[in-house]
Amino acid sequence: MSAEIIDGKAIAAKVREEVARDVEAFTARTGRQPGLATILVGEDPASAIYVANKRKSAGEAGIASFHHELPADATTEQVEALIEQLNDDENVSGILCQLPVPDHLDGVHLTGLIDARKDVDGLTPLSAGYLALGRDGLRPCTPAGCMVLLAETGVELSGKHAVVIGRSNLFGKPMAQLLLAANATVTIAHSRTADLAAVARTADVLVAAVGRDRMVKGDWIKPGATVIDVGINRSEDGLHGDVDFAEAVEVAGAITPVPGGVGPMTIAMLLRNTLTAAELVAREGAPA
């Protein structure tokens, strides 16, 4: 068999079109544009590109962009003061502090200072708590994007077994919680999991997020399973995911490619989160 290829580019484009339409309606209704504030500390070239892409995408969706750059030697107090200022700015719906920050700064601490109503990355302790408790809130962009990919592909999650390989706070844990909220039975596997391949083979939905080039082989996959590959690894022969695509495509029922699968969804969901944040504040019933 040959798996259905899940077209993340097309699905992300659909999400972005929907967000742009909804932003236009929100702005007409409230008289205020949603606004995304980005914070870039230092001069990391990759981070600068990521932030520029996010700002460009925000503008295309009708979202105002407020960009702030701080030098690489900025103090914790300077970054804290900027976040506090943005928390209080009514024109700012969402705040994104680009990670990683320079080594002398604590990215987890700084991200945690963002008002949960404006936490468009969904990474603050409050946002994580709302997710764990099943309360309304902003969800991490990449896991949320994976849920959209599954929904658009018509994958039924209720009662199915989902295995998430990876237990990071940024992806693995929130991905598992989103799958659990969709009534899947969820296993989180990781580097200490005994017979990882055998655990993976039990999955109706297999999500790989470990950062190891083509670690998941074809014989790790249950025939007909849906495979979501979150990894992106550069090697001498090109860009690859955590799943050996050439092997997996012959076994899986549906699979995301790398590139062109999960990646495009992250910025699309960031835009959706910014609009959601604006709507939460407009309703004045959002968590503080």
Side-chain angles (χ1 to χ4, degrees), residues 9 130 239 256 258:
K9 287 184 179 179
Y130 294 139
L239 201 63
T256 57
V258 176

Side-chain angles (χ1 to χ4, degrees), residues 172-263:
K173 291 176 183 177
M175 184 74 239
Q177 289 170 329
L178 288 170
L179 289 163
L180 189 63
N183 297 317
T185 298
V186 182
T187 297
I188 301 179
H190 46 80
S191 60
R192 300 295 180 88
T193 299
D195 201 348
L196 180 57
V199 173
R201 277 193 293 272
T202 67
D204 301 301
V205 175
L206 180 63
V207 183
V210 290
R212 292 184 61 184
D213 190 356
R214 291 168 283 190
M215 182 186 79
V216 177
K217 302 301 182 182
D219 61 3
W220 289 35
I221 298 166
K222 179 180 181 179
T226 300
V227 178
I228 303 295
D229 189 352
V230 185
I232 183 163
N233 309 289
R234 296 185 185 278
S235 62
E236 291 181 357
D237 60 341
L239 201 63
H240 304 282
D242 291 345
V243 177
D244 190 323
F245 184 86
E247 293 186 8
V249 75
E250 299 299 326
V251 183
I255 187 170
T256 57
V258 176
V262 173

Side-chain angles (χ1 to χ4, degrees), residues 6-12 15 120-121 138-153 157 170-171 174-175 178-179 207 228-230 256 260-273:
I6 301 173
D7 190 343
K9 287 184 179 179
I11 295 172
V15 171
V120 288
D121 267 339
L138 298 166
R139 308 311 192 203
C141 299
T142 304
C146 291
M147 294 300 290
V148 173
L149 290 176
L150 290 167
E152 289 288 327
T153 307
L157 292 172
L170 297 180
F171 182 84
M175 184 74 239
L178 288 170
L179 289 163
V207 183
I228 303 295
D229 189 352
V230 185
T256 57
V262 173
M265 295 301 299
T266 300
I267 289 183
M269 299 310 294
L270 172 67
L271 301 178
R272 178 175 282 179
N273 273 356

